[in-house]
Amino acid sequence: VMSKKKNAELWLYIALHIFSAWRSTDYVRLEPPSLRYSWMETERRVANGTYTQEDAEYAARTFLGKIEVLQLHPNKTKAYRQVPPLLFHCPENCLAPFGMILSVAAVHYYRDGEQTEKAFVVARKDLRTIRNFFGEDMVKACGYRDFSGLRANKSVLQSVSSTALEDNQSPYLAYLLASLM
């Protein structure tokens, strides 16, 4: 898990899409989480299995707290006023796994040295890295193309709409549910 930076970047980039439907230009503005330990101690604990669920949740909560405090607005709409801030929701039962992903990515980020021009989140989405890290099933799920947040979001919305139609809901309600997502 700790050996390859590009895998940590991919893991984080795809995980972020589970909790929010943002553009890459918004993800790259995010700051790393605070860790309970130095990055070296965090790396050691992750590697030897002593990094606890509470440690991971701490990283996730600090990350989410920064997002909440920053009240980021979509980069694409920066020329406009009264645009609501971006929303990011991580369910309570996902905090530990998400915190582990954040912690591993943060170790790589801090190992390279904090550089003001270097983003914490890297839009790593190439098919080769996906195949090497997640395997062939993920590559197939991506349609044998690089990972795309836009395609992933569209797929989720189509699933919501399709599920509503299967439950004998009107097409209008199906569209409304998908648009609310």
Side-chain angles (χ1 to χ4, degrees):
V1 148
M2 295 301 302
S3 63
K4 293 191 178 182
K5 179 181 174 184
K6 68 181 179 181
N7 289 343
E9 291 170 346
L10 170 70
W11 200 20
L12 175 60
Y13 184 69
I14 290 179
L16 290 168
H17 285 82
I18 293 169
F19 306 112
S20 64
W22 298 4
R23 289 180 170 78
S24 295
T25 55
D26 296 319
Y27 288 130
V28 298
R29 296 187 295 152
L30 295 174
E31 297 180 12
S34 298
L35 301 172
R36 276 202 169 143
Y37 315 103
S38 69
W39 69 263
M40 293 171 282
E41 179 64 16
T42 299
E43 180 177 34
R44 187 184 70 71
R45 287 174 181 251
V46 169
N48 70 20
T50 60
Y51 195 68
T52 67
Q53 179 174 329
E54 290 78 23
D55 296 334
E57 286 179 2
Y58 177 84
R61 288 183 197 286
T62 64
F63 183 78
L64 296 171
K66 289 178 183 182
I67 291 173
E68 192 173 316
V69 168
L70 291 174
Q71 291 285 296
L72 296 173
H73 295 273
N75 190 51
K76 184 177 181 176
T77 63
K78 64 184 170 190
Y80 303 99
R81 297 189 188 282
Q82 298 183 343
V83 175
L86 292 164
L87 299 176
F88 192 99
H89 177 70
C90 180
E92 192 74 23
N93 62 345
C94 294
L95 285 174
F98 184 52
M100 178 61 82
I101 293 168
L102 286 164
S103 299
V104 170
V107 164
H108 286 284
Y109 175 80
Y110 290 124
R111 180 188 295 140
D112 288 350
E114 297 175 67
Q115 303 164 3
T116 54
E117 70 274 357
K118 182 183 166 233
F120 169 60
V121 177
V122 176
R124 173 80 60 186
K125 52 191 173 182
D126 58 284
L127 201 55
R128 186 174 176 193
T129 305
I130 291 171
R131 178 178 280 117
N132 290 340
F133 187 68
F134 288 113
E136 192 63 30
D137 287 342
M138 181 67 164
V139 171
K140 184 178 176 184
C142 289
Y144 295 96
R145 298 184 296 196
D146 290 353
F147 177 81
S148 163
L150 182 61
R151 279 197 317 271
N153 294 338
K154 183 178 179 185
S155 177
V156 168
L157 298 180
Q158 287 173 337
S159 296
V160 168
S161 178
S162 176
T163 301
L165 289 173
E166 287 173 6
D167 290 342
N168 295 321
Q169 301 297 324
S170 75
Y172 172 77
L173 181 59
Y175 177 82
L176 179 64
L177 288 172
S179 68
L180 289 173
M181 286 290 294

